[in-house]
Amino acid sequence: MFDRLDDLVKRYEELMKLISSPDAAMDPQRFQKLMKDQADLAPIVDTYREYRQACEDEAASLQILEEEKDEEMREMAKEELSDARERTERLAGELKILLLPKDPNDERNVIVEIRAGAGGDEAALFAAELYRMYIHYADSRGWKSEMVNLSENGLGGFKEVDFMIRGKGAYSRLRYESGVHRVQRVPVTESGGRIHTSTATVAIMPEAEEVDVRIDEKDIRIDVMRASGNGGQCVNTTDSAVRLTHFPTGIVIYSQTEKSQIQNRAKAFALLRSKLYDLELQKKQSEEAANRRSQIGTGDRSEKIRTYNFPQGRITDHRIKKTIYKIDQFMNGDLDEILDSLIAADQAEKLAQMNSESV
């Protein structure tokens, strides 16, 4: 591990020299790549330098204990030795995590798809609440959100909703949300006060660029039509809605949130690219799952991942067996306690896998 870290420090120092050279900015594309590579290495290099300093402090304290006779000085050295050892142990753990292979999609924007599952109108109402939950979370992190497609049920619920979240690291945080979300509560339509169980499915897809997915025009049918539903002026008076049908996969995309057919077409193609890219990712992850069991971040989309129990004010994530009693805050977008635990558990599994492979 330390040979690799020494190599990364050398590479970091080379990048710093290249970035500061007089002709660096003459090629903007190369300069941008150099800056990105430097930013990616900076956390590792900074942590490694802290680790080496802690090791030096530990060695200095040991030397004082060997040579010093004064008891007061020895007690101070013992305290400094304990602190240095605690830092070296903590920083060594941080370095192992920083050296884990990164998902190349981590920094991408995401497209979120939420569909009402079992439970009729109550499932649609829950899907709408999940949508608002993710929008609040995006707002709390300074990310931008943009509607792509919406199908309502007439009672304020969403039968299906697709939306974009744009922000650095969006996929790295939200990737763990894919799966079946279950709600337990008394529906507003229930007169007898009985608790019902309903579900909604969430899919988190990294935004795909045109270079990631090539779509053959012969594989696509494009239909334009008048938009329907709530959309304000002009929504039902122009052929602005766009429907794409992808023959090889059977995927159908419908976009009507914009007044412009060109904008709806662009959104529809963006969603189709991301869906096709996501299918390839799922195929790859399924193949890897045959050999690896680190499935926290890439689990089966049909897996029940979380239960929202409103009478008890309880959120339970079944993958990590973690329960919190903050349902109001959670539904208002305070997701970090659960997401941080999922990330930590995923990293722990990957570390264990890496250690077992190195034995």
Side-chain angles (χ1 to χ4, degrees):
M1 179 175 86
F2 296 108
D3 288 341
R4 183 182 173 196
L5 285 166
D6 288 332
D7 289 340
L8 291 177
V9 170
K10 290 177 184 176
R11 175 57 181 160
Y12 180 81
E13 291 170 349
E14 289 173 3
L15 288 168
M16 294 299 290
K17 289 179 182 178
L18 290 170
I19 290 169
S20 59
S21 65
D23 60 342
M26 294 180 65
D27 185 344
Q29 191 172 2
R30 178 173 176 269
F31 184 72
Q32 187 175 12
K33 185 180 185 307
L34 291 173
M35 290 292 291
K36 183 183 183 305
D37 290 346
Q38 182 266 340
D40 289 342
L41 285 178
I44 301 174
V45 172
D46 290 343
T47 304
Y48 185 40
R49 285 171 175 167
E50 286 185 54
Y51 173 82
R52 288 193 302 195
Q53 183 61 56
C55 290
E56 291 175 11
D57 293 344
E58 183 178 345
S61 298
L62 283 170
Q63 185 174 355
I64 291 173
L65 283 172
E66 289 176 4
E67 299 173 354
E68 186 61 58
K69 303 300 181 184
D70 183 80
E71 279 304 314
E72 187 174 344
M73 291 293 292
R74 287 178 62 82
E75 285 302 316
M76 288 177 60
K78 286 178 183 178
E79 290 180 10
E80 290 173 358
L81 177 62
S82 176
D83 175 67
R85 282 177 171 168
E86 183 277 327
R87 283 187 291 135
T88 54
E89 184 177 346
R90 172 176 56 81
L91 291 166
E94 291 180 13
L95 284 170
K96 287 180 181 178
I97 290 172
L98 287 169
L99 288 173
L100 285 173
K102 284 185 169 53
D103 190 314
N105 296 308
D106 273 353
E107 297 302 310
R108 294 196 184 208
N109 303 323
V110 297
I111 289 180
V112 185
E113 178 185 81
I114 304 175
R115 291 188 177 185
D121 288 335
E122 168 64 3
L125 290 169
F126 179 51
E129 289 179 68
L130 289 177
Y131 164 76
R132 287 187 284 272
M133 179 183 80
Y134 292 124
I135 295 299
H136 287 316
Y137 182 66
D139 290 342
S140 74
R141 298 191 72 88
W143 297 340
K144 303 299 182 183
S145 56
E146 181 182 350
M147 184 74 76
V148 176
N149 178 44
L150 173 63
S151 175
E152 300 174 273
N153 73 341
L155 298 174
F158 294 172
K159 291 185 285 186
E160 180 179 348
V161 59
D162 299 286
F163 57 102
M164 173 85 74
I165 293 180
R166 301 181 184 275
K168 185 177 181 181
Y171 183 73
S172 69
R173 299 291 298 176
L174 292 173
R175 58 182 293 184
Y176 303 96
E177 293 301 290
S178 289
V180 177
H181 296 239
R182 181 176 70 171
V183 62
Q184 295 173 326
R185 64 183 175 188
V186 179
V188 293
T189 54
E190 170 59 52
S191 58
R194 293 174 299 175
I195 295 175
H196 287 224
T197 298
S198 304
T199 62
T201 59
V202 175
I204 304 294
M205 298 169 283
E207 181 188 21
E209 305 292 340
E210 289 188 34
V211 294
D212 297 319
V213 178
R214 300 191 66 176
I215 301 174
D216 193 326
E217 290 186 8
K218 293 182 292 185
D219 293 336
I220 295 287
R221 185 178 73 218
I222 303 174
D223 299 306
V224 295
M225 61 206 73
R226 292 188 179 183
S228 60
N230 299 324
Q233 291 183 334
C234 303
V235 74
N236 297 313
T237 60
T238 60
D239 291 334
S240 60
V242 174
R243 183 176 64 208
L244 302 181
T245 303
H246 187 247
F247 299 123
T249 60
I251 293 174
V252 177
I253 305 293
Y254 186 71
S255 180
Q256 64 166 5
T257 57
E258 303 294 334
K259 294 178 183 179
S260 162
Q261 182 188 127
I262 294 174
Q263 290 175 312
N264 282 325
R265 179 189 172 108
K267 284 188 173 184
F269 268 98
L271 180 54
L272 178 60
R273 280 196 301 270
S274 293
K275 280 181 174 283
L276 294 174
Y277 185 59
D278 187 59
L279 284 176
E280 288 300 310
L281 286 180
Q282 288 187 65
K283 180 181 177 182
K284 180 181 178 183
Q285 289 160 0
S286 296
E287 291 171 353
E288 291 175 350
N291 300 317
R292 299 189 175 192
R293 299 314 309 164
S294 178
Q295 288 293 289
I296 290 173
T298 57
D300 189 335
R301 294 287 168 84
S302 63
E303 174 191 4
K304 180 186 70 179
I305 64 168
R306 191 176 298 144
T307 294
Y308 303 69
N309 186 298
F310 278 78
Q312 297 177 16
R314 168 172 59 85
I315 302 279
T316 298
D317 197 288
H318 304 290
R319 295 162 294 180
I320 53 175
K321 298 178 174 58
K322 182 179 178 68
T323 295
I324 61 173
Y325 291 88
K326 300 178 181 178
I327 198 163
D328 290 338
Q329 299 96 310
F330 198 85
M331 298 307 294
N332 281 321
D334 187 6
L335 311 184
D336 279 332
E337 183 174 351
I338 289 286
L339 294 185
D340 287 342
S341 297
L342 285 163
I343 291 170
D346 193 24
Q347 290 172 341
E349 285 198 18
K350 288 173 179 173
L351 280 171
Q353 182 73 36
M354 186 172 67
N355 291 336
S356 66
E357 290 175 352
S358 63
V359 173

